[in-house]
Amino acid sequence: MNDDVSKRRLGRGLAALIGEMDQPVPVEAERISADRMIPIEFVSRNPRNPRRFFDDAELHDLASSIRQHGIVQPIVVRTMSRDRYEIIAGERRWRAAQLAGLIEIPVIVRDVDDKTALEIAIVENVQRADLNALEEALGYEQLIAEYGYTQNDLGEIIGKSRSHVANSLRLLKLPDPVRDLLAAGSLSAGHARALVSTSDPASLARTIVAKGMSVRDAEKLAQNNIKAQSEPQQAALRRDQKDSDTLALERTLSDALGLEVAINHKAGGGQIKISYKSLEQLEEICRLLERR
């Protein structure tokens, strides 16, 4: 089967594979049937799970609920060896179950490979909005690096636009101090994207947090930094040739494509320049143009 076709089919089938077993369920709702009960010590976390951050207060709240009502939604696992299982979806419940002192937990066993397990984990977390923006970007990068997915493939699998995937991946260009603020929720994805092309994103990020800036204010701060770092002649030429509407249009197109876009007006016409850094990005541009 053609790889592109199989990936599209797999993307549509992931939701069916997960089913409704990891969606929020009211306590009073009927429990979802588990395949079996297994000792909690036989289950281990998936080191490739895109979710890295678990709020301690929320885990303790969930643990209290589990002590009273048990685990309403079974944890989805796959068999690794005899009496050993790895979590596909439900690590938060597994952690809370340990805090609650459970000896056994209900599980649903799925026979999937590494790639499918990672895809399920990413789709499940994205659909539930459980990933912060950095975790989401790292998950996309992992699928691209390890399994050769394009941004368009990922968009189809997770139900997001290709531009959403591209903009998420841009966040990985940021230095660690900015990533930490993003992971902690001190910066939004919009704030962080504005800093990608600046000369000192860490310093600007601290300013944004300290002053409680909006995304629009952060974009203005970032643009001023970029202008200040340009060569005097280039800065003057840019100011002379490009008004605020043109700059805004460049930003809009850059965000839509996930690539750097420059618009240059000339007498009787002009040019739009799209910069790419890899053959994959070039293929994405060609694919978009072919659709027109």
Side-chain angles (χ1 to χ4, degrees):
M1 181 185 295
N2 180 278
D3 284 345
D4 290 339
V5 174
S6 63
K7 287 174 182 175
R8 286 196 295 272
R9 289 182 179 174
L10 179 57
R12 288 194 296 269
L14 285 177
L17 184 58
I18 299 172
E20 296 299 322
M21 57 197 165
D22 210 33
Q23 296 302 310
V25 175
V27 168
E28 64 273 13
E30 181 180 352
R31 291 173 180 268
I32 299 171
S33 297
D35 289 343
R36 69 193 71 165
M37 297 289 294
I38 61 174
I40 196 170
E41 64 192 64
F42 289 179
V43 180
S44 60
R45 70 176 300 273
N46 182 355
R48 294 152 56 81
N49 184 3
R51 188 175 184 184
R52 304 287 193 271
F53 177 76
F54 296 86
D55 184 86
D56 286 339
E58 291 181 357
L59 281 177
H60 280 87
D61 287 344
L62 181 57
S64 296
S65 176
I66 287 175
R67 290 189 190 99
Q68 182 176 359
H69 303 287
I71 297 180
V72 178
Q73 301 165 267
I75 295 166
V76 188
V77 300
R78 60 176 179 154
T79 304
M80 302 303 292
S81 62
R82 178 180 173 82
D83 292 334
R84 298 305 305 176
Y85 302 87
E86 183 179 85
I87 295 171
I88 297 175
E91 181 175 339
R92 179 171 171 268
R93 294 192 298 282
W94 172 74
R95 287 171 177 259
Q98 293 180 80
L99 292 175
L102 265 61
I103 298 175
E104 290 186 322
I105 55 175
V107 299
I108 293 175
V109 182
R110 289 289 181 262
D111 182 18
V112 297
D113 58 16
D114 288 347
K115 180 174 72 171
T116 306
L118 177 60
E119 288 169 335
I120 292 174
I122 291 175
V123 171
E124 186 262 345
N125 279 292
V126 168
Q127 288 179 347
R128 291 167 57 92
D130 280 344
L131 299 180
N132 63 50
L134 182 60
E135 290 172 329
E136 184 177 347
L138 288 169
Y140 297 159
E141 181 185 53
Q142 195 172 356
L143 282 174
I144 290 172
E146 296 184 20
Y147 301 113
Y149 279 98
T150 66
Q151 293 175 6
N152 195 59
D153 291 331
L154 289 178
E156 291 185 4
I157 286 175
I158 63 174
K160 301 283 187 179
S161 67
R162 193 210 58 80
S163 61
H164 171 86
V165 175
N167 283 326
S168 293
L169 291 169
R170 291 177 64 200
L171 300 177
L172 300 181
K173 299 178 182 179
L174 293 166
D176 288 340
V178 183
R179 289 190 182 195
D180 292 341
L181 291 172
L182 181 60
S186 301
L187 286 178
S188 71
H191 288 115
R193 281 195 298 270
L195 302 177
V196 171
S197 299
T198 61
S199 62
D200 190 2
S203 176
L204 294 178
R206 289 192 294 270
T207 299
I208 291 169
V209 173
K211 294 185 177 181
M213 289 184 170
S214 67
V215 172
R216 186 172 293 276
D217 289 337
E219 290 173 344
K220 291 179 180 178
L221 179 67
Q223 189 61 49
N224 289 337
N225 173 270
I226 294 172
K227 287 181 179 179
Q229 296 302 315
S230 299
E231 292 293 332
Q233 298 85 350
Q234 292 177 335
L237 183 62
R238 185 176 181 86
R239 287 194 296 270
D240 290 340
Q241 292 186 346
K242 297 184 179 180
D243 56 21
S244 58
D245 290 337
T246 301
L247 294 175
L249 181 57
E250 284 183 343
R251 183 58 181 270
T252 298
L253 292 175
S254 294
D255 286 344
L257 295 173
L259 301 168
E260 182 180 349
V261 175
I263 299 175
N264 297 309
H265 295 296
K266 295 181 180 181
Q271 294 178 331
I272 297 179
K273 179 181 177 182
I274 303 174
S275 301
Y276 63 88
K277 296 181 180 180
S278 68
L279 288 178
E280 178 194 339
Q281 291 179 340
L282 176 59
E283 290 173 357
E284 291 291 336
I285 295 171
C286 293
R287 187 178 291 114
L288 289 172
L289 293 175
E290 288 173 356
R291 291 178 181 175
R292 300 299 186 272

